[in-house]
Amino acid sequence: MSRQTGIFVGTAGWSLPKQHADAFPPDGSHLERYAARLTGVEINTSFYRPHRVATYERWAASVPSDFRFAVKVPRTITHERRLVDIDEPLTRFLAEVAGLGTKLGPILLQLPPSLAFEPARDSAFLARLRRDVGGDLVCEPRHPSWFTPSVEARLDAMQVARVAADPAPAPGASEPGGWRGMAYYRLHGSPEIYRSAYAPAALQRMAERLAHHAAGAEEAWCIFDNTAEFHAAGDALTTLRNLARLDPGTGA
């Protein structure tokens, strides 16, 4: 399977559905088997509960050197405190994910659909996050007020990429935005969110997009979140095969 520099393709979590199990090595933990074929993963459990530093360290030790973990910011910060009074939970979260070491990829900030953009609050929060995170940051806003030229400019200035989401929660949300040093696609399933598999033509177009970003020296991520009917792993594997056909030199 293709492992192209600067392109990370995976799923939300590393479960291995029975219908795709034969595509992965038979031995090892679920994460070890997953990481033998896919190139990145999104840790969503961090949204719901903390993990010990030792847990992150164990996960990092289980994967190849070129594998990366994206990690979702806890809902305590985004949904409960709504980006205000977050010093203690943010400090704790960042100390925990430091256990991933060099395997840490982007920190993912998914915002509730009801959270409208407020310049003072959100700029202060993002500045704090940018100060404390030396690596990549990506934000998935879902309120229409975030999708304006002025907000795009703020995100770009702070080097915060904006997720390209499918289905798109607002006009413009289907395309990457903010800082253009990274493109991060979160594909939740279409036409039925979380449940539908993606059509072959859509997966081919996604591979072409990822290759285009990588050719422009952008890091490119594609995370499949259509996990309810177990389609995510298959769609991710197909996308990697499509990438390999686009660039045969990477192997398959």
Side-chain angles (χ1 to χ4, degrees):
M1 193 66 69
S2 170
R3 301 187 80 94
Q4 293 172 292
T5 301
I7 298 178
F8 301 92
V9 178
T11 65
W14 52 78
S15 62
L16 303 177
K18 290 182 179 178
Q19 60 263 50
H20 301 298
D22 289 347
F24 297 89
D27 300 321
S29 68
H30 274 229
L31 176 55
E32 288 170 333
R33 295 169 61 205
Y34 173 102
R37 293 290 180 266
L38 298 174
T39 54
V41 73
E42 195 177 86
I43 299 176
N44 285 165
T45 52
S46 57
F47 181 73
Y48 299 101
R49 63 183 186 274
H51 298 298
R52 294 182 302 124
V53 174
T55 299
Y56 284 111
E57 290 173 341
R58 185 177 72 251
W59 289 341
S62 300
V63 300
S65 60
D66 58 352
F67 187 92
R68 294 292 181 270
F69 296 86
V71 191
K72 196 171 180 180
V73 171
R75 63 180 175 181
T76 301
I77 295 169
T78 56
H79 289 56
E80 296 172 11
R81 301 195 182 187
R82 298 171 74 83
L83 311 185
V84 176
D85 190 23
I86 48 74
D87 284 355
E88 186 274 331
L90 181 61
T91 298
R92 183 178 67 243
F93 168 69
L94 295 178
E96 291 164 355
V97 301
L100 291 171
T102 59
K103 310 292 178 60
L104 176 61
I107 299 294
L108 169 65
L109 180 74
Q110 185 191 55
L111 301 178
S114 62
L115 193 71
F117 182 77
E118 294 183 7
R121 177 199 65 199
D122 299 333
S123 294
F125 173 80
L126 291 171
R128 162 71 193 279
L129 193 60
R130 180 73 282 169
R131 185 191 75 212
D132 291 350
V133 176
D136 291 330
L137 295 173
V138 60
C139 180
E140 184 179 21
R142 290 180 284 177
H143 190 278
S145 60
W146 285 78
F147 300 91
T148 68
S150 62
V151 176
E152 291 285 296
R154 286 175 187 253
L155 293 175
D156 183 37
M158 294 183 179
Q159 294 191 333
V160 178
R162 180 179 53 71
V163 162
D166 181 72
S174 62
E175 298 295 327
W179 181 58
R180 295 309 178 95
M182 180 176 64
Y184 196 106
Y185 293 86
R186 296 192 85 221
L187 307 184
H188 302 291
S190 181
E192 187 176 3
I193 191 169
Y194 304 127
R195 295 187 175 278
S196 296
Y198 283 92
L203 297 177
Q204 178 62 35
R205 288 194 298 272
M206 180 51 56
E208 292 168 357
R209 283 187 166 205
L210 296 171
H212 175 77
H213 290 300
E218 297 175 59
E219 187 170 288
W221 280 72
C222 180
I223 293 294
F224 289 92
D225 189 30
N226 51 339
T227 55
E229 299 292 338
F230 310 110
H231 295 302
D235 285 350
L237 290 166
T238 298
T239 301
L240 281 178
R241 285 193 291 269
N242 291 341
L243 280 164
R245 284 193 288 269
L246 290 171
D247 185 4
T250 62

